[in-house]
Amino acid sequence: KNQVEQSPQSLIILEGKNCTLQCNYTVSPFSNLRWYKQDTGRGPVSLTIMTFSENTKSNGRYTATLDADTKQSSLHITASQLSDSASYICVVTSYNFNKFYFGSGTKLNVKP
Amino acid sequence: GAVVSQHPSRVICKSGTSVKIECRSLDFQATTMFWYRQFPKKSLMLMATSNEGSKATYEQGVEKDKFLINHASLTLSTLTVTSAHPEDSSFYICSARQRLNTEAFFGQGTRLTVV
């Protein structure tokens, strides 16, 4: 069964600290993996996209990693800011039919 | 990235009425648009996939007569919630993709409240 699981479900960190969010998937065949940031009451915004051959991708303070062998990805946020408070969603695309599989998201709360 | 605009961002309607939500791709032609529903603290659930000029493909458990989807042009898809009930209250999000194997961009979502 194609699934995407994220952990932790929620996370509280202090401003300026780093954090790492995890995404494990069983989607096969794999096409790509995206991390999205979703502010409350808004649509998701893409942070990074990685294909099978890419191990790491950065977007400012966001760095995503991908291990296609173990089917794991992580999103590392450096020097967190209050504006990083949001839900972070991992989405895996299957090669067949280009179907998207969504993780349930990690709710990040950055406190001053 | 490309811009996908949803309208309205918020709507309140009376039970039994119908409400239409628009999804527009502003700077590209979208051959495929997706409609999602999101419950509080949950991730997005795909409701249906629509390809321009053809009937939408609905996910299992989604009533096609309840949620009417029209994708009449390459830049516009609409979702009409017919005979709305309070349990239809939710956050509805669309995304649009130019063609297969390209990124899908999300709209900002529509908060529907049925009273």
Side-chain angles (χ1 to χ4, degrees):
Chain A
K1 186 179 178 184
N2 291 314
Q3 286 185 314
V4 178
E5 294 186 353
Q6 290 186 243
S7 62
Q9 231 178 10
S10 62
L11 182 62
I12 301 174
I13 61 172
L14 292 176
E15 187 179 11
K17 298 295 185 182
N18 304 334
C19 67
T20 300
L21 315 180
Q22 300 290 342
C23 174
N24 297 338
Y25 63 93
T26 59
V27 177
S28 182
F30 173 88
S31 178
N32 58 63
L33 184 148
R34 297 183 172 97
W35 283 95
Y36 287 90
K37 178 186 179 187
Q38 185 180 21
D39 293 312
T40 301
R42 307 288 293 178
V45 174
S46 179
L47 295 175
T48 63
I49 176 172
M50 289 181 290
T51 58
F52 184 87
S53 59
E54 294 175 297
N55 300 121
T56 185
K57 184 74 72 80
S58 289
N59 178 1
R61 294 180 297 101
Y62 301 104
T63 299
T65 65
L66 174 64
D67 185 334
D69 291 330
T70 61
K71 298 188 177 182
Q72 295 179 323
S73 176
S74 66
L75 179 69
H76 186 75
I77 304 175
T78 305
S80 61
Q81 300 176 358
L82 298 179
S83 59
D84 293 332
S85 296
S87 288
Y88 291 84
I89 304 171
C90 174
V91 182
V92 180
T93 305
S94 72
Y95 192 79
N96 290 348
F97 307 113
N98 241 221
K99 193 174 173 71
F100 304 124
Y101 294 89
F102 287 78
S104 54
T106 293
K107 176 78 173 173
L108 175 64
N109 189 357
V110 181
K111 294 201 167 187
Chain B
V3 179
V4 174
S5 176
Q6 255 181 269
H7 178 80
S9 56
R10 289 176 181 271
V11 59
I12 301 173
C13 70
K14 289 185 177 180
S15 188
T17 62
S18 296
V19 61
K20 181 184 286 187
I21 303 169
E22 291 186 348
C23 179
R24 292 181 185 273
S25 56
L26 298 185
D27 52 1
F28 67 101
Q29 292 186 323
T31 56
T32 306
M33 288 189 173
F34 305 88
W35 286 96
Y36 298 88
R37 183 173 180 176
Q38 188 175 31
F39 292 101
K41 299 183 181 180
K42 299 291 185 182
S43 193
L44 284 72
M45 285 175 41
L46 180 65
M47 298 174 66
T49 302
S50 75
N51 292 297
E52 185 266 339
S54 59
K55 289 184 179 180
T57 302
Y58 289 80
E59 295 297 301
Q60 195 172 11
V62 178
E63 299 175 59
K64 61 181 181 182
D65 295 328
K66 172 78 172 175
F67 299 100
L68 299 177
I69 292 172
N70 184 282
H71 190 169
S73 79
L74 285 170
T75 59
L76 174 64
S77 176
T78 59
L79 166 68
T80 302
V81 183
T82 63
S83 187
H85 291 284
E87 57 263 31
D88 298 325
S89 298
S90 192
F91 193 57
Y92 293 87
I93 305 176
C94 73
S95 70
R97 180 177 72 194
Q98 187 170 19
R99 57 184 179 275
L100 200 63
N101 292 319
T102 61
E103 180 158 2
F105 296 93
F106 287 88
Q108 67 269 44
T110 297
R111 170 71 60 193
L112 170 63
T113 303
V114 184
V115 297

